[in-house]
Short mmCIF file of all heavy atoms in Angstrom, two decimals:
data_model
loop_
_atom_site.label_atom_id
_atom_site.label_comp_id
_atom_site.label_asym_id
_atom_site.label_seq_id
_atom_site.Cartn_x
_atom_site.Cartn_y
_atom_site.Cartn_z
N MET E 1 -105.30 91.84 16.45
CA MET E 1 -104.88 90.62 17.12
C MET E 1 -104.39 89.63 16.06
O MET E 1 -105.03 89.42 15.06
CB MET E 1 -106.04 90.05 17.93
CG MET E 1 -105.67 88.85 18.73
SD MET E 1 -106.87 88.41 20.02
CE MET E 1 -108.43 88.73 19.33
N SER E 2 -103.26 88.99 16.34
CA SER E 2 -102.67 88.09 15.37
C SER E 2 -102.63 86.67 15.89
O SER E 2 -102.49 86.43 17.07
CB SER E 2 -101.24 88.55 15.07
OG SER E 2 -100.60 87.61 14.25
N GLN E 3 -102.75 85.73 14.97
CA GLN E 3 -102.64 84.32 15.32
C GLN E 3 -101.39 83.70 14.73
O GLN E 3 -101.21 82.50 14.79
CB GLN E 3 -103.89 83.57 14.85
CG GLN E 3 -105.17 84.07 15.48
CD GLN E 3 -105.17 83.98 17.00
OE1 GLN E 3 -104.70 83.01 17.58
NE2 GLN E 3 -105.67 85.01 17.64
N ALA E 4 -100.52 84.49 14.11
CA ALA E 4 -99.34 83.97 13.43
C ALA E 4 -98.34 83.35 14.40
O ALA E 4 -97.73 82.34 14.08
CB ALA E 4 -98.68 85.07 12.61
N LEU E 5 -98.15 83.94 15.54
CA LEU E 5 -97.21 83.41 16.53
C LEU E 5 -98.00 82.74 17.65
O LEU E 5 -98.75 83.39 18.35
CB LEU E 5 -96.32 84.52 17.09
CG LEU E 5 -95.37 85.16 16.09
CD1 LEU E 5 -94.64 86.34 16.71
CD2 LEU E 5 -94.37 84.13 15.57
N SER E 6 -97.81 81.45 17.81
CA SER E 6 -98.55 80.68 18.81
C SER E 6 -98.02 80.92 20.21
O SER E 6 -96.83 81.13 20.41
CB SER E 6 -98.45 79.19 18.49
OG SER E 6 -99.04 78.92 17.27
N SER E 7 -98.91 80.81 21.15
CA SER E 7 -98.56 80.94 22.56
C SER E 7 -97.62 79.81 22.98
O SER E 7 -97.79 78.67 22.56
CB SER E 7 -99.82 80.88 23.41
OG SER E 7 -99.50 80.77 24.78
N PRO E 8 -96.66 80.11 23.85
CA PRO E 8 -95.77 79.06 24.36
C PRO E 8 -96.40 78.25 25.49
O PRO E 8 -95.77 77.36 26.05
CB PRO E 8 -94.56 79.84 24.86
CG PRO E 8 -95.11 81.17 25.26
CD PRO E 8 -96.23 81.44 24.28
N CYS E 9 -97.66 78.52 25.81
CA CYS E 9 -98.35 77.83 26.90
C CYS E 9 -98.40 76.33 26.65
O CYS E 9 -98.71 75.87 25.55
CB CYS E 9 -99.76 78.37 27.05
SG CYS E 9 -100.70 77.59 28.38
N ILE E 10 -98.09 75.55 27.69
CA ILE E 10 -98.19 74.08 27.61
C ILE E 10 -99.19 73.56 28.64
O ILE E 10 -99.17 72.39 29.00
CB ILE E 10 -96.81 73.41 27.80
CG1 ILE E 10 -96.22 73.74 29.17
CG2 ILE E 10 -95.87 73.77 26.66
CD1 ILE E 10 -95.04 72.86 29.54
N ASN E 11 -100.05 74.45 29.14
CA ASN E 11 -101.09 74.10 30.11
C ASN E 11 -100.55 73.59 31.44
O ASN E 11 -101.16 72.75 32.08
CB ASN E 11 -102.09 73.12 29.50
CG ASN E 11 -102.86 73.73 28.36
OD1 ASN E 11 -103.30 74.87 28.45
ND2 ASN E 11 -102.99 73.00 27.28
N VAL E 12 -99.40 74.09 31.83
CA VAL E 12 -98.85 73.89 33.17
C VAL E 12 -98.74 75.30 33.75
O VAL E 12 -97.72 75.95 33.62
CB VAL E 12 -97.47 73.21 33.12
CG1 VAL E 12 -96.87 73.10 34.52
CG2 VAL E 12 -97.57 71.84 32.48
N CYS E 13 -99.83 75.76 34.30
CA CYS E 13 -99.95 77.17 34.67
C CYS E 13 -99.76 77.36 36.17
O CYS E 13 -100.73 77.43 36.93
CB CYS E 13 -101.30 77.70 34.21
SG CYS E 13 -101.57 77.47 32.44
N ARG E 14 -98.52 77.40 36.58
CA ARG E 14 -98.16 77.65 37.98
C ARG E 14 -96.99 78.62 38.00
O ARG E 14 -96.00 78.41 37.31
CB ARG E 14 -97.74 76.35 38.67
CG ARG E 14 -98.88 75.38 38.86
CD ARG E 14 -98.54 74.15 39.70
NE ARG E 14 -97.17 74.03 40.12
CZ ARG E 14 -96.36 73.01 39.82
NH1 ARG E 14 -96.78 72.03 39.05
NH2 ARG E 14 -95.13 72.98 40.27
N ILE E 15 -97.13 79.68 38.77
CA ILE E 15 -96.09 80.69 38.86
C ILE E 15 -95.13 80.32 39.99
O ILE E 15 -95.54 80.05 41.12
CB ILE E 15 -96.69 82.09 39.12
CG1 ILE E 15 -97.63 82.48 37.97
CG2 ILE E 15 -95.58 83.12 39.30
CD1 ILE E 15 -97.00 82.58 36.60
N ASP E 16 -93.85 80.30 39.67
CA ASP E 16 -92.80 80.03 40.65
C ASP E 16 -92.65 81.25 41.56
O ASP E 16 -92.47 82.37 41.07
CB ASP E 16 -91.48 79.74 39.92
CG ASP E 16 -90.34 79.48 40.87
OD1 ASP E 16 -90.37 78.45 41.56
OD2 ASP E 16 -89.42 80.34 40.92
N ASP E 17 -92.74 81.05 42.86
CA ASP E 17 -92.66 82.16 43.82
C ASP E 17 -91.31 82.88 43.75
O ASP E 17 -91.25 84.10 43.91
CB ASP E 17 -92.90 81.67 45.24
CG ASP E 17 -94.34 81.26 45.48
OD1 ASP E 17 -95.24 81.77 44.78
OD2 ASP E 17 -94.58 80.43 46.37
N ASP E 18 -90.25 82.16 43.53
CA ASP E 18 -88.92 82.77 43.54
C ASP E 18 -88.63 83.58 42.28
O ASP E 18 -88.15 84.70 42.35
CB ASP E 18 -87.84 81.71 43.73
CG ASP E 18 -87.92 81.04 45.09
OD1 ASP E 18 -88.35 81.70 46.06
OD2 ASP E 18 -87.56 79.85 45.17
N SER E 19 -88.91 83.01 41.13
CA SER E 19 -88.57 83.67 39.87
C SER E 19 -89.68 84.54 39.32
O SER E 19 -89.42 85.45 38.53
CB SER E 19 -88.19 82.63 38.82
OG SER E 19 -89.34 81.90 38.42
N GLY E 20 -90.93 84.25 39.67
CA GLY E 20 -92.06 84.96 39.10
C GLY E 20 -92.42 84.48 37.70
O GLY E 20 -93.21 85.12 37.02
N LEU E 21 -91.85 83.36 37.29
CA LEU E 21 -92.10 82.82 35.96
C LEU E 21 -93.05 81.63 36.03
O LEU E 21 -93.06 80.90 37.02
CB LEU E 21 -90.79 82.35 35.31
CG LEU E 21 -89.71 83.40 35.12
CD1 LEU E 21 -88.45 82.74 34.59
CD2 LEU E 21 -90.19 84.51 34.21
N CYS E 22 -93.82 81.43 34.96
CA CYS E 22 -94.66 80.25 34.86
C CYS E 22 -93.76 79.03 34.76
O CYS E 22 -92.78 79.03 34.01
CB CYS E 22 -95.56 80.36 33.63
SG CYS E 22 -96.51 78.85 33.33
N LEU E 23 -94.09 77.99 35.52
CA LEU E 23 -93.28 76.78 35.51
C LEU E 23 -93.38 76.02 34.19
O LEU E 23 -92.52 75.19 33.89
CB LEU E 23 -93.71 75.86 36.66
CG LEU E 23 -93.45 76.39 38.06
CD1 LEU E 23 -94.06 75.47 39.10
CD2 LEU E 23 -91.97 76.57 38.30
N GLY E 24 -94.38 76.30 33.39
CA GLY E 24 -94.53 75.61 32.12
C GLY E 24 -93.96 76.37 30.94
O GLY E 24 -93.21 75.83 30.14
N CYS E 25 -94.29 77.67 30.83
CA CYS E 25 -93.94 78.41 29.61
C CYS E 25 -92.87 79.48 29.81
O CYS E 25 -92.47 80.11 28.83
CB CYS E 25 -95.18 79.03 29.00
SG CYS E 25 -95.89 80.40 29.96
N PHE E 26 -92.45 79.70 31.03
CA PHE E 26 -91.39 80.67 31.33
C PHE E 26 -91.78 82.12 31.08
O PHE E 26 -90.92 82.97 30.93
CB PHE E 26 -90.10 80.36 30.55
CG PHE E 26 -89.47 79.06 30.93
CD1 PHE E 26 -89.72 77.92 30.18
CD2 PHE E 26 -88.64 78.96 32.02
CE1 PHE E 26 -89.15 76.71 30.51
CE2 PHE E 26 -88.05 77.75 32.37
CZ PHE E 26 -88.31 76.62 31.61
N ARG E 27 -93.09 82.40 31.04
CA ARG E 27 -93.52 83.79 30.91
C ARG E 27 -93.83 84.38 32.27
O ARG E 27 -94.17 83.67 33.21
CB ARG E 27 -94.77 83.90 30.04
CG ARG E 27 -94.52 83.62 28.58
CD ARG E 27 -95.77 83.79 27.75
NE ARG E 27 -96.76 82.76 28.09
CZ ARG E 27 -98.00 82.74 27.63
NH1 ARG E 27 -98.44 83.69 26.83
NH2 ARG E 27 -98.82 81.77 27.97
N THR E 28 -93.78 85.70 32.35
CA THR E 28 -94.22 86.41 33.55
C THR E 28 -95.73 86.57 33.49
O THR E 28 -96.35 86.40 32.43
CB THR E 28 -93.58 87.82 33.63
OG1 THR E 28 -94.07 88.61 32.53
CG2 THR E 28 -92.06 87.76 33.61
N ILE E 29 -96.33 86.93 34.62
CA ILE E 29 -97.77 87.19 34.66
C ILE E 29 -98.13 88.29 33.65
O ILE E 29 -99.13 88.19 32.94
CB ILE E 29 -98.20 87.63 36.09
CG1 ILE E 29 -98.16 86.44 37.03
CG2 ILE E 29 -99.56 88.28 36.09
CD1 ILE E 29 -99.30 85.47 36.86
N GLU E 30 -97.32 89.33 33.58
CA GLU E 30 -97.58 90.43 32.67
C GLU E 30 -97.56 89.95 31.21
O GLU E 30 -98.41 90.35 30.40
CB GLU E 30 -96.56 91.56 32.86
CG GLU E 30 -96.66 92.26 34.20
CD GLU E 30 -95.99 91.49 35.35
OE1 GLU E 30 -95.16 90.58 35.10
OE2 GLU E 30 -96.29 91.81 36.51
N GLU E 31 -96.60 89.10 30.87
CA GLU E 31 -96.51 88.58 29.50
C GLU E 31 -97.70 87.69 29.17
O GLU E 31 -98.22 87.74 28.05
CB GLU E 31 -95.20 87.83 29.31
CG GLU E 31 -93.99 88.74 29.33
CD GLU E 31 -92.68 87.99 29.46
OE1 GLU E 31 -92.67 86.81 29.88
OE2 GLU E 31 -91.64 88.60 29.14
N ILE E 32 -98.13 86.91 30.12
CA ILE E 32 -99.30 86.05 29.91
C ILE E 32 -100.54 86.91 29.70
O ILE E 32 -101.34 86.65 28.80
CB ILE E 32 -99.49 85.09 31.11
CG1 ILE E 32 -98.33 84.07 31.15
CG2 ILE E 32 -100.84 84.38 31.03
CD1 ILE E 32 -98.24 83.28 32.44
N ALA E 33 -100.69 87.94 30.51
CA ALA E 33 -101.87 88.80 30.44
C ALA E 33 -101.96 89.56 29.11
O ALA E 33 -103.06 89.73 28.57
CB ALA E 33 -101.87 89.79 31.60
N VAL E 34 -100.86 90.00 28.57
CA VAL E 34 -100.87 90.81 27.36
C VAL E 34 -100.89 89.97 26.08
O VAL E 34 -101.23 90.47 25.01
CB VAL E 34 -99.65 91.79 27.35
CG1 VAL E 34 -98.35 91.07 27.04
CG2 VAL E 34 -99.88 92.91 26.38
N TRP E 35 -100.58 88.69 26.17
CA TRP E 35 -100.40 87.86 24.97
C TRP E 35 -101.57 87.92 24.00
O TRP E 35 -101.38 88.09 22.79
CB TRP E 35 -100.14 86.40 25.37
CG TRP E 35 -99.83 85.56 24.16
CD1 TRP E 35 -100.71 84.82 23.43
CD2 TRP E 35 -98.57 85.42 23.53
NE1 TRP E 35 -100.06 84.21 22.39
CE2 TRP E 35 -98.74 84.56 22.43
CE3 TRP E 35 -97.28 85.91 23.79
CZ2 TRP E 35 -97.70 84.20 21.59
CZ3 TRP E 35 -96.25 85.55 22.95
CH2 TRP E 35 -96.46 84.71 21.87
N SER E 36 -102.78 87.78 24.48
CA SER E 36 -103.94 87.67 23.58
C SER E 36 -104.19 88.94 22.77
O SER E 36 -104.78 88.87 21.69
CB SER E 36 -105.20 87.30 24.36
OG SER E 36 -105.54 88.32 25.26
N ARG E 37 -103.74 90.07 23.23
CA ARG E 37 -103.96 91.31 22.49
C ARG E 37 -102.66 91.89 21.91
O ARG E 37 -102.67 92.98 21.32
CB ARG E 37 -104.68 92.33 23.35
CG ARG E 37 -103.96 92.76 24.59
CD ARG E 37 -104.85 93.69 25.44
NE ARG E 37 -104.11 94.16 26.60
CZ ARG E 37 -103.95 93.48 27.72
NH1 ARG E 37 -104.49 92.28 27.85
NH2 ARG E 37 -103.27 93.98 28.73
N ALA E 38 -101.57 91.17 22.03
CA ALA E 38 -100.27 91.65 21.54
C ALA E 38 -100.15 91.42 20.03
O ALA E 38 -100.61 90.41 19.50
CB ALA E 38 -99.14 90.93 22.25
N ALA E 39 -99.52 92.37 19.37
CA ALA E 39 -99.21 92.23 17.95
C ALA E 39 -97.96 91.34 17.82
O ALA E 39 -97.24 91.11 18.79
CB ALA E 39 -98.95 93.60 17.33
N ASP E 40 -97.73 90.85 16.62
CA ASP E 40 -96.61 89.93 16.40
C ASP E 40 -95.25 90.46 16.88
O ASP E 40 -94.49 89.69 17.47
CB ASP E 40 -96.52 89.52 14.94
CG ASP E 40 -97.50 88.40 14.60
OD1 ASP E 40 -98.12 87.83 15.52
OD2 ASP E 40 -97.64 88.09 13.40
N PRO E 41 -94.91 91.73 16.68
CA PRO E 41 -93.60 92.18 17.17
C PRO E 41 -93.45 92.02 18.69
O PRO E 41 -92.40 91.61 19.17
CB PRO E 41 -93.54 93.65 16.75
CG PRO E 41 -94.42 93.72 15.55
CD PRO E 41 -95.55 92.76 15.85
N GLN E 42 -94.52 92.32 19.44
CA GLN E 42 -94.48 92.16 20.89
C GLN E 42 -94.44 90.68 21.26
O GLN E 42 -93.72 90.27 22.17
CB GLN E 42 -95.66 92.85 21.55
CG GLN E 42 -95.57 92.84 23.07
CD GLN E 42 -96.68 93.62 23.73
OE1 GLN E 42 -97.66 94.00 23.10
NE2 GLN E 42 -96.53 93.87 25.02
N ARG E 43 -95.21 89.86 20.56
CA ARG E 43 -95.18 88.41 20.81
C ARG E 43 -93.79 87.85 20.55
O ARG E 43 -93.31 86.99 21.29
CB ARG E 43 -96.21 87.69 19.94
CG ARG E 43 -97.63 87.90 20.39
CD ARG E 43 -98.57 87.13 19.53
NE ARG E 43 -99.94 87.23 20.06
CZ ARG E 43 -100.94 86.48 19.67
NH1 ARG E 43 -100.76 85.57 18.72
NH2 ARG E 43 -102.12 86.63 20.19
N LEU E 44 -93.15 88.31 19.49
CA LEU E 44 -91.81 87.84 19.18
C LEU E 44 -90.84 88.21 20.29
O LEU E 44 -90.00 87.38 20.69
CB LEU E 44 -91.35 88.42 17.84
CG LEU E 44 -89.99 87.94 17.35
CD1 LEU E 44 -89.94 86.43 17.22
CD2 LEU E 44 -89.65 88.60 16.02
N GLN E 45 -90.96 89.40 20.84
CA GLN E 45 -90.10 89.81 21.95
C GLN E 45 -90.33 88.90 23.16
O GLN E 45 -89.38 88.50 23.84
CB GLN E 45 -90.36 91.27 22.33
CG GLN E 45 -89.85 92.25 21.31
CD GLN E 45 -88.36 92.15 21.11
OE1 GLN E 45 -87.59 92.06 22.06
NE2 GLN E 45 -87.93 92.13 19.86
N ILE E 46 -91.57 88.57 23.44
CA ILE E 46 -91.89 87.66 24.55
C ILE E 46 -91.30 86.29 24.29
O ILE E 46 -90.68 85.69 25.19
CB ILE E 46 -93.41 87.59 24.78
CG1 ILE E 46 -93.95 88.94 25.27
CG2 ILE E 46 -93.76 86.46 25.76
CD1 ILE E 46 -95.46 89.04 25.30
N LEU E 47 -91.46 85.77 23.07
CA LEU E 47 -90.93 84.45 22.74
C LEU E 47 -89.40 84.41 22.86
O LEU E 47 -88.83 83.41 23.31
CB LEU E 47 -91.36 84.03 21.34
CG LEU E 47 -92.84 83.70 21.19
CD1 LEU E 47 -93.18 83.46 19.72
CD2 LEU E 47 -93.23 82.50 22.04
N LEU E 48 -88.74 85.48 22.47
CA LEU E 48 -87.28 85.55 22.61
C LEU E 48 -86.88 85.55 24.08
O LEU E 48 -85.92 84.87 24.47
CB LEU E 48 -86.73 86.78 21.89
CG LEU E 48 -86.83 86.75 20.37
CD1 LEU E 48 -86.46 88.11 19.78
CD2 LEU E 48 -85.97 85.65 19.79
N ALA E 49 -87.61 86.29 24.90
CA ALA E 49 -87.34 86.30 26.34
C ALA E 49 -87.58 84.92 26.94
O ALA E 49 -86.81 84.46 27.79
CB ALA E 49 -88.21 87.36 27.03
N VAL E 50 -88.65 84.26 26.50
CA VAL E 50 -88.97 82.91 26.98
C VAL E 50 -87.83 81.95 26.65
O VAL E 50 -87.40 81.16 27.50
CB VAL E 50 -90.30 82.42 26.36
CG1 VAL E 50 -90.45 80.92 26.48
CG2 VAL E 50 -91.48 83.13 27.02
N GLU E 51 -87.31 82.03 25.44
CA GLU E 51 -86.22 81.13 25.04
C GLU E 51 -84.96 81.37 25.88
O GLU E 51 -84.30 80.42 26.31
CB GLU E 51 -85.91 81.29 23.55
CG GLU E 51 -84.90 80.29 23.05
CD GLU E 51 -85.31 78.83 23.30
OE1 GLU E 51 -86.51 78.52 23.30
OE2 GLU E 51 -84.41 78.01 23.51
N ARG E 52 -84.64 82.63 26.15
CA ARG E 52 -83.49 82.94 27.02
C ARG E 52 -83.70 82.37 28.41
O ARG E 52 -82.79 81.78 28.99
CB ARG E 52 -83.26 84.45 27.09
CG ARG E 52 -82.64 85.05 25.85
CD ARG E 52 -82.21 86.49 26.07
NE ARG E 52 -83.29 87.36 26.48
CZ ARG E 52 -84.06 88.04 25.65
NH1 ARG E 52 -83.88 87.96 24.35
NH2 ARG E 52 -85.02 88.82 26.10
N ARG E 53 -84.89 82.53 28.94
CA ARG E 53 -85.18 82.01 30.28
C ARG E 53 -85.13 80.49 30.31
O ARG E 53 -84.65 79.89 31.26
CB ARG E 53 -86.56 82.48 30.74
CG ARG E 53 -86.63 83.96 30.96
CD ARG E 53 -88.05 84.37 31.27
NE ARG E 53 -88.17 85.81 31.17
CZ ARG E 53 -89.22 86.44 30.66
NH1 ARG E 53 -90.28 85.75 30.22
NH2 ARG E 53 -89.25 87.74 30.60
N ARG E 54 -85.65 79.86 29.26
CA ARG E 54 -85.64 78.39 29.19
C ARG E 54 -84.20 77.88 29.25
O ARG E 54 -83.90 76.93 29.96
CB ARG E 54 -86.34 77.92 27.92
CG ARG E 54 -86.40 76.43 27.80
CD ARG E 54 -87.19 75.99 26.58
NE ARG E 54 -88.61 76.24 26.83
CZ ARG E 54 -89.40 76.97 26.05
NH1 ARG E 54 -88.94 77.49 24.95
NH2 ARG E 54 -90.67 77.14 26.37
N VAL E 55 -83.32 78.50 28.51
CA VAL E 55 -81.91 78.11 28.52
C VAL E 55 -81.30 78.34 29.90
O VAL E 55 -80.57 77.50 30.41
CB VAL E 55 -81.13 78.87 27.42
CG1 VAL E 55 -79.63 78.67 27.57
CG2 VAL E 55 -81.59 78.42 26.04
N ASP E 56 -81.62 79.46 30.52
CA ASP E 56 -81.09 79.78 31.85
C ASP E 56 -81.57 78.80 32.92
O ASP E 56 -80.82 78.40 33.79
CB ASP E 56 -81.48 81.20 32.27
CG ASP E 56 -80.75 82.27 31.49
OD1 ASP E 56 -79.76 81.95 30.81
OD2 ASP E 56 -81.19 83.44 31.56
N HIS E 57 -82.85 78.44 32.86
CA HIS E 57 -83.45 77.61 33.91
C HIS E 57 -83.40 76.12 33.64
O HIS E 57 -83.50 75.31 34.55
CB HIS E 57 -84.90 78.03 34.16
CG HIS E 57 -85.03 79.35 34.82
ND1 HIS E 57 -84.84 79.53 36.17
CD2 HIS E 57 -85.29 80.58 34.31
CE1 HIS E 57 -84.99 80.80 36.46
NE2 HIS E 57 -85.25 81.46 35.36
N ASP E 58 -83.28 75.74 32.38
CA ASP E 58 -83.32 74.33 32.02
C ASP E 58 -82.35 74.08 30.86
O ASP E 58 -82.75 73.67 29.78
CB ASP E 58 -84.75 73.95 31.62
CG ASP E 58 -84.97 72.44 31.57
OD1 ASP E 58 -84.13 71.69 32.09
OD2 ASP E 58 -85.98 72.04 30.99
N PRO E 59 -81.05 74.34 31.06
CA PRO E 59 -80.09 74.32 29.96
C PRO E 59 -79.96 72.96 29.28
O PRO E 59 -79.56 72.89 28.13
CB PRO E 59 -78.78 74.73 30.62
CG PRO E 59 -78.96 74.45 32.07
CD PRO E 59 -80.43 74.63 32.33
N HIS E 60 -80.29 71.88 29.96
CA HIS E 60 -80.15 70.54 29.37
C HIS E 60 -81.50 69.91 29.08
O HIS E 60 -81.60 68.70 28.93
CB HIS E 60 -79.35 69.64 30.32
CG HIS E 60 -78.03 70.21 30.67
ND1 HIS E 60 -77.01 70.34 29.76
CD2 HIS E 60 -77.55 70.73 31.82
CE1 HIS E 60 -75.96 70.90 30.34
NE2 HIS E 60 -76.27 71.16 31.58
N GLY E 61 -82.54 70.73 29.01
CA GLY E 61 -83.88 70.19 28.77
C GLY E 61 -84.41 69.52 30.03
O GLY E 61 -84.04 69.86 31.14
N CYS E 62 -85.26 68.57 29.86
CA CYS E 62 -85.93 67.91 30.98
C CYS E 62 -84.97 67.13 31.87
O CYS E 62 -85.28 66.85 33.02
CB CYS E 62 -87.01 66.97 30.46
SG CYS E 62 -88.34 67.83 29.62
N ALA E 63 -83.81 66.80 31.37
CA ALA E 63 -82.87 65.98 32.13
C ALA E 63 -82.31 66.69 33.35
O ALA E 63 -81.76 66.06 34.25
CB ALA E 63 -81.72 65.54 31.23
N SER E 64 -82.46 68.00 33.41
CA SER E 64 -81.87 68.73 34.53
C SER E 64 -82.55 68.45 35.86
O SER E 64 -81.98 68.68 36.91
CB SER E 64 -81.91 70.24 34.25
OG SER E 64 -83.24 70.70 34.24
N GLY E 65 -83.79 67.95 35.82
CA GLY E 65 -84.48 67.59 37.05
C GLY E 65 -84.97 68.78 37.87
O GLY E 65 -85.36 68.63 39.02
N GLY E 66 -84.96 69.98 37.29
CA GLY E 66 -85.41 71.16 38.00
C GLY E 66 -86.92 71.21 38.12
O GLY E 66 -87.63 70.30 37.68
N GLU E 67 -87.42 72.25 38.72
CA GLU E 67 -88.85 72.41 38.93
C GLU E 67 -89.57 72.89 37.67
O GLU E 67 -90.77 72.74 37.56
CB GLU E 67 -89.11 73.41 40.06
CG GLU E 67 -88.70 72.88 41.42
CD GLU E 67 -89.50 71.66 41.82
OE1 GLU E 67 -90.73 71.64 41.61
OE2 GLU E 67 -88.90 70.71 42.32
N PHE E 68 -88.84 73.49 36.74
CA PHE E 68 -89.48 74.03 35.56
C PHE E 68 -89.82 72.93 34.57
O PHE E 68 -89.36 71.82 34.65
CB PHE E 68 -88.57 75.08 34.89
CG PHE E 68 -88.57 76.38 35.63
CD1 PHE E 68 -87.73 76.57 36.71
CD2 PHE E 68 -89.43 77.39 35.27
CE1 PHE E 68 -87.75 77.76 37.40
CE2 PHE E 68 -89.44 78.59 35.96
CZ PHE E 68 -88.60 78.79 37.03
N ARG E 69 -90.65 73.29 33.60
CA ARG E 69 -91.10 72.40 32.53
C ARG E 69 -91.93 71.26 33.08
O ARG E 69 -91.54 70.10 33.04
CB ARG E 69 -89.95 71.88 31.67
CG ARG E 69 -89.21 72.97 30.93
CD ARG E 69 -90.09 73.79 30.05
NE ARG E 69 -90.58 73.02 28.93
CZ ARG E 69 -91.42 73.48 28.04
NH1 ARG E 69 -91.87 74.71 28.12
NH2 ARG E 69 -91.82 72.74 27.06
N GLY E 70 -93.09 71.58 33.56
CA GLY E 70 -93.98 70.60 34.14
C GLY E 70 -94.44 69.52 33.17
O GLY E 70 -95.06 68.56 33.58
N ASP E 71 -94.12 69.67 31.88
CA ASP E 71 -94.51 68.65 30.91
C ASP E 71 -93.50 67.52 30.81
O ASP E 71 -93.71 66.55 30.11
CB ASP E 71 -94.73 69.27 29.53
CG ASP E 71 -93.50 69.94 28.97
OD1 ASP E 71 -92.60 70.33 29.74
OD2 ASP E 71 -93.41 70.08 27.73
N CYS E 72 -92.39 67.63 31.51
CA CYS E 72 -91.35 66.60 31.45
C CYS E 72 -91.74 65.38 32.27
O CYS E 72 -92.31 65.51 33.35
CB CYS E 72 -90.03 67.15 31.99
SG CYS E 72 -89.37 68.49 31.02
N GLU E 73 -91.45 64.23 31.74
CA GLU E 73 -91.71 63.00 32.51
C GLU E 73 -90.62 62.86 33.55
O GLU E 73 -89.46 63.06 33.28
CB GLU E 73 -91.72 61.79 31.58
CG GLU E 73 -92.89 61.82 30.63
CD GLU E 73 -92.94 60.58 29.76
OE1 GLU E 73 -92.39 59.55 30.17
OE2 GLU E 73 -93.55 60.66 28.69
N ARG E 74 -91.01 62.49 34.73
CA ARG E 74 -90.05 62.32 35.83
C ARG E 74 -89.87 60.86 36.13
O ARG E 74 -90.70 60.06 35.95
CB ARG E 74 -90.56 63.02 37.08
CG ARG E 74 -90.87 64.48 36.86
CD ARG E 74 -89.69 65.33 37.23
NE ARG E 74 -90.05 66.73 37.11
CZ ARG E 74 -89.30 67.60 36.50
NH1 ARG E 74 -88.19 67.27 35.96
NH2 ARG E 74 -89.66 68.84 36.42
#
């Protein structure tokens, strides 16, 4: 188990019914479940997927006004 790559969790743990992604960190349930025992190469793959999803769902950051990124001030 590695601690080199930090979890993308921001403590907004709600799964979107339509996308199946966490509204806070953009991970799937499967990615969240495996994170604690994943080695760095697998964590890196998850983080890369998270970044792609973040761009797809929130391309302008918090200003987009979407449902994702529960840490954004409204």
Side-chain angles (χ1 to χ4, degrees):
M1 184 164 38
S2 173
Q3 299 301 320
L5 294 174
S6 297
S7 170
C9 180
I10 61 167
N11 295 316
V12 176
C13 304
R14 292 187 356 240
I15 300 298
D16 178 68
D17 290 335
D18 294 330
S19 70
L21 300 175
C22 174
L23 294 174
C25 70
F26 296 97
R27 289 182 293 172
T28 65
I29 288 285
E30 293 80 17
E31 291 167 341
I32 293 167
V34 74
W35 185 266
S36 64
R37 61 185 184 278
D40 279 350
Q42 187 176 12
R43 286 182 174 193
L44 183 57
Q45 289 299 315
I46 293 170
L47 290 173
L48 292 171
V50 163
E51 186 56 32
R52 285 190 302 269
R53 293 174 194 142
R54 181 175 288 125
V55 170
D56 289 346
H57 290 281
D58 194 15
H60 305 291
C62 295
S64 67
E67 291 297 317
F68 284 85
R69 297 303 292 177
D71 61 337
C72 296
E73 293 183 24
R74 304 266 184 227

